[in-house]
Amino acid sequence: MTLDKIVEEIGKAENIVILTHDIPDGDAIGSSLALYLGLTQLNKNVDLIIPEFPDTFNFLPGIDEIKKESENEPYDLAIALDCGDIKRLNGFVKYFEDADVKIQIDHHKVNTMFGDYNFVDPTAPSCSQVLIVVLESLGIEITKEIGTCLLTGIITDTGGFKYQGVTPETFEFTAGLLTRGVNVSSIYKKVMQTVSKARFELTKRAMNRLEFLEDGKISFTYITEQDKNETNAGINDHDGIVEMARDIEGVEVSIFLREQEEGYKISLRSNEYINVADICLMFSGGGHLRAAGGEISLPFDQAKEKILSECKRHLK
Ligand code: 5GP
Ligand code: MN
């Protein structure tokens, strides 16, 4: 069984690198830190490499131990978390490929299964939840610190316990952490409620230019490099915009474009029936049924037209 092999390989390895997806969110950072703290408990030499992450997560235990790059390459073992496609490994595909053994732990539905061992549960609402099973199998104690990291991943990827993927285990695990004194409410406030000024300004711009199309079934908005510069936006300050538009009554699919060095990053969200992961496959991307992303290298008007016509085809 994959899990047994993973436990065996982790047991054998001495030098381990943990990697996650670029522009990391709470699940990417939370699951990576939880595994980092857990493997340290087992006295492994572990590097967690994340070149850039938002300040929101500065409160997490172990955050100061994150490295921007490696001085210890190559590793016995590389573990990728919360990443369905090797291309998204935060610029460090090399660290992964150069390791003797490669493990992937994830919950993405669209998944290239790029490890030697892939422990992937597409029904889990967050990678952090998938990781609980792995940590338990390794005999790692879920301390208050590890619990805080895992809960951050669970809270952020479930939109604060509200998405469809939430399972009884999500609440059972959270209840267990409460019993052990983890301040669920404070974590929730830090990662879900508090908004930086930059994020607020960026969101305001995106909302001001939001358009409704196809009788309000599609919402469309975008931000440019100039917006990011003028608002001093951090790497994750666009988070939440695509969901805000999705939540408007009558909207089935919310489209959000974010200008990049080359072309645009696409974010799609749907409410009831459109499989946005399928749509994003056409834009070298992927994700989940109701939340997915991709890329498009075209000038703005053409990019908008192409993604709009693709979404229109899926409307009922
Ligand atoms: P977001 O819109 O927040 O960037 O991403 C939504 C979901 O789609 C996330 O689960 C994310 O992992 C996935 N996703 C976003 N961009 C890409 C991409 O370029 N490729 C793949 N495979 N998945 C993506
Ligand atoms: Mn995730």
Side-chain angles (χ1 to χ4, degrees):
M1 212 179 106
T2 310
L3 188 53
D4 297 333
K5 288 303 290 180
I6 289 177
V7 170
E8 188 186 320
E9 292 297 343
I10 292 177
K12 281 196 289 195
E14 282 179 21
N15 301 308
I16 303 176
V17 65
I18 301 174
L19 300 165
T20 187
H21 66 78
D22 59 356
I23 317 199
D25 54 15
D27 193 30
I29 296 176
S31 58
S32 304
L33 275 172
L35 183 61
Y36 173 84
L37 296 171
L39 295 181
T40 313
Q41 227 183 69
L42 299 181
N43 295 317
K44 302 289 178 185
N45 298 321
V46 198
D47 280 343
L48 167 54
I49 318 264
I50 307 181
E52 207 184 359
F53 56 83
D55 293 346
T56 322
F57 302 109
N58 282 346
F59 75 98
L60 287 176
I63 196 94
D64 293 335
E65 288 165 53
I66 293 179
K67 294 191 174 142
K68 290 193 184 308
E69 58 188 308
S70 170
E71 290 150 13
N72 301 316
E73 246 233 303
Y75 295 89
D76 303 334
L77 175 64
I79 307 177
L81 291 164
D82 198 33
C83 187
D85 187 335
I86 195 165
K87 282 188 304 195
R88 299 188 72 220
L89 276 187
N90 70 24
F92 289 120
V93 172
K94 183 179 178 313
Y95 296 164
F96 193 82
E97 284 181 338
D98 288 352
D100 292 341
V101 181
K102 305 159 187 71
I103 290 174
Q104 183 210 17
I105 299 171
D106 189 28
H107 72 126
H108 285 90
K109 183 167 175 283
V110 176
N111 211 305
T112 58
M113 301 287 192
F114 56 87
D116 299 329
Y117 304 104
N118 303 287
F119 191 63
V120 177
D121 179 0
T123 66
S126 69
C127 181
S128 297
Q129 190 168 320
V130 180
L131 188 61
I132 297 170
V133 185
V134 181
L135 295 178
E136 283 171 350
S137 306
L138 284 162
I140 289 168
E141 184 201 347
I142 311 271
T143 57
K144 217 166 145 174
E145 287 74 27
I146 294 178
T148 299
C149 296
L150 291 172
L151 192 62
T152 294
I154 289 173
I155 290 177
T156 51
D157 255 31
T158 59
F161 304 110
K162 68 174 185 281
Y163 292 156
Q164 290 279 342
V166 167
T167 63
E169 290 78 27
T170 316
F171 290 107
E172 278 156 18
F173 178 70
T174 309
L177 291 182
L178 270 170
T179 315
R180 268 174 275 161
V182 173
N183 194 332
V184 176
S185 163
S186 146
I187 297 174
Y188 190 100
K189 191 168 166 79
K190 284 187 179 120
V191 300
M192 296 301 294
Q193 276 173 266
T194 311
V195 174
S196 68
K197 287 252 167 53
R199 178 178 296 216
F200 178 76
E201 289 302 332
L202 197 64
T203 307
K204 206 161 86 179
R205 288 182 184 215
M207 289 303 125
N208 275 334
R209 52 174 81 116
L210 186 110
E211 286 174 68
F212 293 106
L213 301 121
E214 302 294 304
D215 288 332
K217 290 181 192 156
I218 298 180
S219 66
F220 175 89
T221 193
Y222 64 95
I223 52 168
T224 61
E225 285 287 329
Q226 193 181 348
D227 293 325
K228 285 190 256 177
N229 294 335
E230 287 175 0
T231 57
N232 279 322
I235 55 165
N236 271 38
D237 279 333
H238 56 269
D239 273 2
I241 292 174
V242 68
E243 288 87 2
M244 204 174 265
R246 173 204 62 198
D247 290 343
I248 301 166
E249 198 174 20
V251 170
E252 169 54 23
V253 58
S254 165
I255 308 170
F256 173 54
L257 297 187
R258 180 161 50 87
E259 192 180 10
Q260 315 189 111
E261 265 168 39
E262 228 181 275
Y264 292 83
K265 175 84 201 170
I266 303 165
S267 279
L268 295 185
R269 299 291 184 272
S270 65
N271 272 308
E272 309 245 321
Y273 59 88
I274 291 188
N275 180 342
V276 285
D278 263 4
I279 297 179
C280 284
L281 279 176
M282 308 202 35
F283 297 99
S284 1
H288 312 280
L289 216 54
R290 304 276 172 256
E295 282 174 324
I296 190 163
S297 292
L298 285 175
F300 180 77
D301 289 337
Q302 289 173 41
K304 178 179 175 184
E305 181 49 41
K306 188 143 190 240
I307 180 81
L308 268 175
S309 67
E310 206 44 55
C311 288
K312 277 184 203 167
R313 283 200 319 117
H314 289 76
L315 283 178
K316 275 185 192 162

